[in-house]
Amino acid sequence: MDMIDPFGRTISYLRVSVTDRCDFRCTYCMAEDMTFLPKKDLLSLEELDRLCTVFIEKGVKKLRLTGGEPLVRKNIMHLVRQLSRHLDSGALEELTLTTNGSQLSRFAAELADCGVKRINVSLDTLDAEKFHQITRWGNLGKVMEGIDAAQKAGLKIKLNAVALRDFNDTEIPELMRWAHGRGMDLTLIETMPMGEIEVDRTDQYLPLSMLRAALERQFTLSDIPYKTGGPARYVHVTETGGRLGFITPMTHNFCESCNRVRLTCTGTLYMCLGQEDAADLRAPLRASEGNELLDAAIDEAIGRKPKGHDFIIDRRTSRPSVSRHMSVTGG
């Protein structure tokens, strides 16, 4: 039942955006005055459960809930608890989510009770003033409370930080020491040209090859084969004893091993984060109580999965490579 794309890659990882809404407005992700989807256009939690279940039946082993901010979706824990049955049956190997941490103090214990073992938390700076500047609406203290609650609940945390030139590039050593000191991995991510935002991404963009070279003047970084199922390449940091990941969609395309597809909260399936081609799964989902039409639509979509993406950031190309915002597709 495995899903195999035209390039022989087995698709075993589904990322599901349960909402495009977020309680932050991170400058590299979305505009401050965002227009979100009408709630009537969103799939119900029951429809999301049904869609995810079909993907699991077709070979998905890892399921990640994303947003926007997934924990702001009303009654989201009902969906998490429903999906946890696939962990209990052994059909699903991992159920996880990516969050900005703002709601973790409310939900961490219940997430752990549902069988979630680890989560990703987006955190770009430990400076409260800069945190408010980059998120526009965020409160660092609330995120720290969430991280504390998640660790107390036994959740393993990986921090994600978008590396931004002249903003947090000099803070990365401090962020890494702090994360490793609390037993958390840190992954650095290059900013991606998705959606119209108010700032010029050429001013934000920092190649991680340059950042790694700067880090190697202070730390001993050794490449390791560690994998979590995503695109990060990891190193071991001798001085801290922790792991540091690099996600490099711009400088080092990781598409050759891509095992992922992304489902939006409206039932649109994107076979590639960096391409506009998509498949509508909402129509076949709602056309029949059975899953035959949906199954066929998924097969047809996987058969169109491209070899890779073509992100570009330069001053001649001021428009984003992809018109939709990251919050629409899910990070």
Side-chain angles (χ1 to χ4, degrees):
M1 291 294 292
D2 285 351
M3 295 179 287
I4 310 294
D5 79 0
F7 303 94
R9 298 169 296 195
T10 299
I11 308 306
S12 58
Y13 182 3
L14 177 66
R15 301 174 71 112
V16 183
S17 174
V18 297
T19 178
D20 66 326
R21 295 170 186 264
C22 187
D23 50 353
F24 291 0
R25 295 290 185 274
C26 295
T27 60
Y28 53 78
C29 180
M30 58 174 73
E32 183 166 16
D33 186 21
M34 285 289 290
T35 301
F36 293 113
L37 294 165
K39 290 184 178 179
K40 64 179 177 59
D41 290 350
L42 272 59
L43 296 180
S44 68
L45 296 178
E46 291 72 23
E47 288 174 322
L48 284 168
D49 177 34
R50 181 179 160 200
L51 259 175
C52 290
T53 298
V54 171
F55 272 98
I56 292 166
E57 291 171 350
K58 293 177 72 62
V60 161
K61 298 298 183 186
K62 178 175 178 178
L63 181 62
R64 178 178 296 278
L65 303 182
T66 69
E69 168 49 46
L71 295 178
V72 300
R73 173 82 191 248
K74 188 176 180 180
N75 296 326
I76 185 60
M77 292 310 303
H78 173 72
L79 175 63
V80 176
R81 195 162 290 282
Q82 285 295 106
L83 291 172
S84 70
R85 74 188 185 277
H86 299 298
L87 293 172
D88 296 336
S89 72
L92 190 64
E93 293 175 0
E94 183 175 41
L95 174 62
T96 183
L97 77 155
T98 295
T99 174
N100 64 26
S102 67
Q103 308 297 316
L104 271 180
S105 58
R106 294 172 57 201
F107 294 116
E110 191 174 357
L111 286 168
D113 188 58
C114 289
V116 175
K117 302 294 186 188
R118 67 184 188 96
I119 59 175
N120 290 358
V121 177
S122 301
L123 182 65
D124 300 319
T125 177
L126 297 174
D127 182 307
E129 188 175 322
K130 290 176 74 172
F131 182 84
H132 184 71
Q133 178 187 342
I134 196 72
T135 63
R136 293 191 179 104
W137 297 3
N139 182 303
L140 181 62
K142 196 170 182 182
V143 172
M144 291 301 183
E145 288 176 14
I147 289 173
D148 289 341
Q151 290 197 312
K152 183 179 179 181
L155 295 173
K156 186 173 177 58
I157 297 174
K158 178 172 76 73
L159 295 183
N160 288 339
V162 177
L164 301 168
R165 183 188 296 275
D166 299 328
F167 178 77
N168 64 354
D169 43 352
T170 59
E171 294 180 61
I172 298 302
E174 178 192 3
L175 183 60
M176 182 176 68
R177 288 190 188 97
W178 180 79
H180 292 174
R182 295 192 53 159
M184 298 183 286
D185 291 348
L186 172 66
T187 294
L188 305 175
I189 307 172
E190 290 174 336
T191 186
M192 288 177 264
M194 298 185 66
E196 294 286 356
I197 57 177
E198 285 93 346
V199 299
D200 188 338
R201 284 196 172 94
T202 52
D203 295 330
Q204 292 183 323
Y205 174 56
L206 175 64
L208 289 189
S209 54
M210 291 176 59
L211 185 53
R212 175 168 178 166
L215 289 172
E216 286 180 323
R217 291 194 282 271
Q218 299 182 56
F219 301 96
T220 308
L221 309 183
S222 306
D223 292 312
I224 55 175
Y226 177 74
K227 286 282 186 185
T228 62
R233 293 176 171 87
Y234 285 89
V235 299
H236 177 265
V237 184
T238 302
E239 290 76 7
T240 64
R243 284 188 293 252
L244 178 66
F246 296 91
I247 296 181
T248 53
M250 304 301 300
T251 56
H252 185 216
N253 187 301
F254 41 69
C255 303
E256 70 279 355
S257 59
C258 183
N259 62 344
R260 300 170 294 286
V261 289
R262 289 170 168 82
L263 181 68
T264 75
C265 53
T266 60
T268 300
L269 183 71
Y270 285 95
M271 290 70 79
C272 175
L273 179 65
Q275 301 283 5
E276 296 283 16
D277 187 33
D280 173 23
L281 299 185
R282 183 171 60 184
L285 174 75
R286 293 177 174 175
S288 169
E289 292 186 5
N291 291 329
E292 294 82 4
L293 294 175
L294 183 58
D295 196 77
I298 293 171
D299 287 343
E300 193 275 336
I302 299 300
R304 303 204 313 267
K305 183 171 170 65
K307 190 171 184 178
H309 63 250
D310 304 297
F311 284 146
I312 297 172
I313 291 179
D314 64 32
R315 296 198 184 277
R316 295 166 300 164
T317 312
S318 58
R319 293 191 308 273
S321 295
V322 176
S323 61
R324 68 186 184 280
H325 288 84
M326 177 70 87
S327 60
V328 173
T329 318

